[in-house]
Amino acid sequence: VIGLGIPYFQLRLQPPRSPSAARFAQFFKAPFLLRSKSYDLVHSLCYQSVFIEPLIVKTFSKAKYIYTKTNLEWDNHIINWHLKSKLSDRIISISGATDELLTSRGFKEKTTTIPSGIDTDIFTPLKNTTLRQAHKVPEHAIVFGCAAQFVEWKEHLTLIKAFDKLS
């Protein structure tokens, strides 16, 4: 990965959502490009239930396939999640709740837990005074950031209401 001296290769291994000749061409070339790289390991950054990606990896290469399960969504695409997990050599879980989900679905043996995905010994809260000053946020106030898919079942509105009651 950049900065660490680890070679990487980025490739789209799932069909495009919006029709485009260039995107379809890239998708159809992808398995052959994957084969030419001779990777030992492919880690997916696709956090969806799409099982086509591990199927391509297993069909066109000898690489081990790993994906990270970052949410408790399963019932919306039961067959896809099951196939993706079955085709995977390893599943990285980010929480105890995700561990329980994967165990209940029969994938305990394939699951490895890396809590939160953040090493808190290395990464610590940052006091960004420029951002605070620009938005007139007091130094003592808590600044919360969230990088997520904003969907109702994740309860972001509950968090916003709680912050409102605390202020």
Side-chain angles (χ1 to χ4, degrees):
V1 180
I2 298 172
L4 298 176
I6 301 170
Y8 75 97
F9 181 62
Q10 186 175 352
L11 188 62
R12 183 176 185 84
L13 296 175
Q14 60 179 333
R17 289 184 181 183
S18 56
S20 155
R23 288 184 181 178
F24 275 108
Q26 180 190 24
F27 172 67
F28 287 118
K29 282 186 354 187
F32 304 101
L33 291 171
L34 177 66
R35 178 178 280 166
S36 72
K37 296 293 180 182
S38 300
Y39 282 108
D40 296 318
L41 176 69
V42 172
H43 176 244
S44 174
L45 296 176
C46 175
Y47 300 116
Q48 300 168 349
S49 62
V50 180
F51 72 90
I52 294 169
E53 189 177 73
L55 182 63
I56 290 171
V57 171
K58 293 299 186 179
T59 303
F60 289 89
S61 78
K62 295 178 182 175
K64 301 287 184 185
Y65 178 85
I66 297 173
Y67 84 91
T68 302
K69 184 74 172 121
T70 60
N71 60 46
L72 300 177
E73 185 180 276
W74 189 281
D75 292 333
N76 62 341
H77 300 115
I78 295 171
I79 294 171
N80 283 345
W81 279 118
H82 183 79
L83 288 172
K84 182 175 186 170
S85 300
K86 190 163 182 70
L87 289 165
S88 298
D89 294 285
R90 205 85 181 126
I91 305 167
I92 306 301
S93 164
I94 64 162
S95 69
T98 306
D99 290 350
E100 289 176 21
L101 171 76
L102 291 164
T103 297
S104 74
R105 301 299 182 176
F107 297 104
K108 180 179 182 168
E109 299 303 316
K110 289 187 175 190
T111 303
T112 298
T113 307
I114 302 176
S116 302
I118 298 170
D119 186 342
T120 55
D121 291 335
I122 296 172
F123 298 99
T124 56
L126 181 65
K127 300 286 185 189
N128 188 332
T129 56
T130 305
L131 182 64
R132 288 175 181 275
Q133 290 169 355
H135 295 282
K136 299 180 182 168
V137 177
E139 186 66 32
H140 67 280
I142 295 172
V143 177
F144 172 78
C146 181
Q149 178 185 17
F150 287 93
V151 292
E152 187 176 337
W153 57 267
K154 287 191 174 186
E155 294 287 332
H156 291 104
L157 187 56
T158 301
L159 178 65
I160 292 166
K161 287 178 181 177
F163 279 149
D164 187 47
K165 289 183 180 196
L166 291 173
S167 61

